[in-house]
Amino acid sequence: MKKIILLFLIFSCTTLIGQSLTYTVESTIYVPNNNTNGDFYKFILSGNYSNLVYNNHAVVTTNYKSIVDVKNTDFTLTYAFGCTVANQGNPCAGQHVFYGTVAQLLTRAYTLGHGSAYVSRFIPNGLTIKRTSTNDINACENIELNAIPPPHTGIDFPDEAYHWLFKVQGDTQWRDIPLQTTNGKKINNDRISTFTMQDLLGDDYLNYFGSVTFALGYGQEIYSTNTLNVNYVPMAPVIDHIQYIPPTCAGDERELKIYFKRNLVAGEVLKDFSIINSTNSSMILYQATNSIATFIDGSYISVKGFNVEDAKYDITYQAFLNGNPKGCIKSAGDIKITNTEPLKFKIIKADNPTCNNDKVNITIEANGGIPPYFYDDLNGETEMVNGLPEIKRIQFDASDKNKTIVELNDLELKEYKIKVTDINKCIEN
């Protein structure tokens, strides 16, 4: 197969001298390599302005001055093959026709018989960008990017012309700003793009602090006349990890220890500290009633007394330094909240003696709690624990901590008070 590259250049001039809209369309046509008949190939670009014929794979550049509304400009790209004579008119065997708009060519590839048409470059002349923000940006501060077309009358670029790209520090390639909607507005393919760094980077937004650069373009080709840089900084203390402490016994308080990568500095506090369900903002796991002015051991805070199931939660808070807003954080993550099942036990065997003075056997089964399981010595024998006498605890099976059944054999016939505990000395309520 042979590859032929055609460049279709479309220019639009307005009544303002020096202002124009330039679209550069690169069309790639694959010509069969078994062209034994010596057939000719023809390419035609036409629209609601004028016609241009490409013969024998010629590359032609021309100016069009009658485009009024680029968003609604229709054009036809025709690929004809099998003609036996150069410049043969229509119909010509094997003709394939494509109808579309400039905006469509920006976002899709279209098959044309033996080849395809696509846009590799789209260059709106004189398109500059600016932003409304300070140089230092924190995680949940809005960044507004604004594309400014050159001044002209009656002409605008298609939405697809406002295609935003970005690089974080360390990137060697441009990335597309996500094609998503935030707060009801698009953050790409729109002249004004407003978003936070978390909107931009998703769950990875805490991993890319440093310089962030923005531009307009497609792929790795930039067509805006300038680029913009912001300095993405944490400002507020960033969460390092979360440790869940399950309840010791059923009904006890559960605890989250939330560790930070740095301690609070003098005069710094966290306000509006909340843990909220990611998919249901009305489900609040925890909400601090007061400002957080200190970290335990300089590294974490403790949250207790909540009662929710496993889920994905957002942790949000705002840092203030000497009363002035400093930065906000929204940290998403799975919090695995497990319940400790209550300890239960039952006597599954306690036979009365068959004859006078016979011994008895008792079988106990336990579940819940946290094994291994213990029973109190039935004769009340004690042992010293932390310097104090306590009833001796005997493990169901010293060789198997998960043993749930114990058999007590050859016991004297009398009344027994049986107490079962787990590893944490939890008892049946």
Side-chain angles (χ1 to χ4, degrees), residues 382-402:
T382 62
E383 59 183 354
M384 299 301 293
V385 178
N386 297 325
L388 298 173
E390 290 186 4
I391 299 294
K392 185 177 181 180
R393 299 168 72 229
I394 304 172
Q395 189 173 330
F396 277 20
D397 187 335
S399 64
D400 182 2
K401 69 176 184 178
N402 294 315

Side-chain angles (χ1 to χ4, degrees), residues 210-226:
S211 175
V212 184
T213 306
F214 300 98
L216 287 171
Y218 274 90
Q220 301 307 309
E221 183 165 358
I222 302 305
Y223 55 67
S224 56
T225 60
N226 64 318

Side-chain angles (χ1 to χ4, degrees), residues 147 159 162-164 185-193:
D159 289 343
Y162 306 111
H163 191 77
W164 297 97
K185 296 182 178 179
K186 293 189 300 182
I187 65 173
N188 207 344
N189 291 2
D190 204 315
R191 190 175 66 81
I192 297 177
S193 178

Side-chain angles (χ1 to χ4, degrees), residues 73-257:
T73 298
D74 294 320
F75 66 91
T76 304
L77 179 61
T78 304
Y79 166 52
F81 65 91
C83 303
T84 57
V85 179
N87 299 324
Q88 180 177 350
N90 294 329
C92 179
Q95 180 168 301
H96 294 267
V97 181
F98 157 76
Y99 298 95
T101 65
V102 174
Q104 286 175 314
L105 265 188
L106 283 170
T107 54
R108 300 185 181 92
Y110 296 92
T111 299
L112 297 173
H114 288 279
S116 62
Y118 62 90
V119 171
S120 65
R121 290 190 298 164
F122 178 84
I123 305 174
N125 281 350
L127 193 56
T128 59
I129 56 176
K130 67 178 184 178
R131 61 184 174 85
T132 55
S133 62
T134 58
N135 186 57
D136 288 340
I137 299 295
N138 64 61
C140 53
E141 180 180 355
N142 275 338
I143 303 170
E144 182 179 289
L145 302 177
N146 194 347
I148 309 297
H152 53 263
T153 303
I155 297 177
D156 194 10
F157 295 110
D159 289 343
E160 289 80 2
Y162 306 111
H163 191 77
W164 297 97
L165 303 174
F166 76 100
K167 284 182 181 180
V168 297
Q169 186 168 303
D171 275 352
T172 58
Q173 300 286 310
W174 290 98
R175 309 189 208 180
D176 291 316
I177 285 182
L179 292 172
Q180 67 184 44
T181 299
T182 301
N183 297 323
K185 296 182 178 179
K186 293 189 300 182
I187 65 173
N188 207 344
N189 291 2
D190 204 315
R191 190 175 66 81
I192 297 177
S193 178
T194 304
F195 54 88
T196 67
M197 290 305 298
Q198 184 165 7
D199 295 330
L200 187 66
L201 298 171
D203 290 345
D204 284 338
Y205 83 103
L206 293 177
N207 299 325
Y208 290 102
F209 293 119
S211 175
V212 184
T213 306
F214 300 98
L216 287 171
Y218 274 90
Q220 301 307 309
E221 183 165 358
I222 302 305
Y223 55 67
S224 56
T225 60
N226 64 318
T227 61
L228 292 175
N229 284 85
V230 298
N231 185 34
Y232 175 40
V233 293
M235 295 188 181
V238 175
I239 293 173
D240 184 71
H241 66 279
I242 299 172
Q243 180 185 10
Y244 171 69
I245 311 296
T248 302
C249 299
D252 288 353
E253 280 190 330
R254 292 172 292 181
E255 180 181 10
L256 287 178
K257 290 184 177 180

Side-chain angles (χ1 to χ4, degrees), residues 239-286:
I239 293 173
D240 184 71
H241 66 279
I242 299 172
Q243 180 185 10
Y244 171 69
I245 311 296
T248 302
C249 299
D252 288 353
E253 280 190 330
R254 292 172 292 181
E255 180 181 10
L256 287 178
K257 290 184 177 180
I258 302 173
Y259 289 83
F260 295 84
K261 291 186 177 181
R262 69 166 175 84
N263 195 5
L264 293 168
V265 300
E268 185 180 25
V269 298
L270 303 185
K271 294 184 178 182
D272 302 322
F273 190 96
S274 301
I275 308 177
I276 304 170
N277 188 288
S278 296
T279 57
N280 182 2
S281 60
S282 65
M283 184 183 294
I284 299 175
L285 169 67
Y286 173 81

Side-chain angles (χ1 to χ4, degrees), residues 289-308:
T289 56
N290 299 311
S291 299
I292 298 172
T294 59
F295 291 161
I296 300 171
D297 295 332
S299 62
Y300 73 94
I301 64 173
S302 174
V303 175
K304 297 180 179 179
F306 48 86
N307 184 27
V308 293

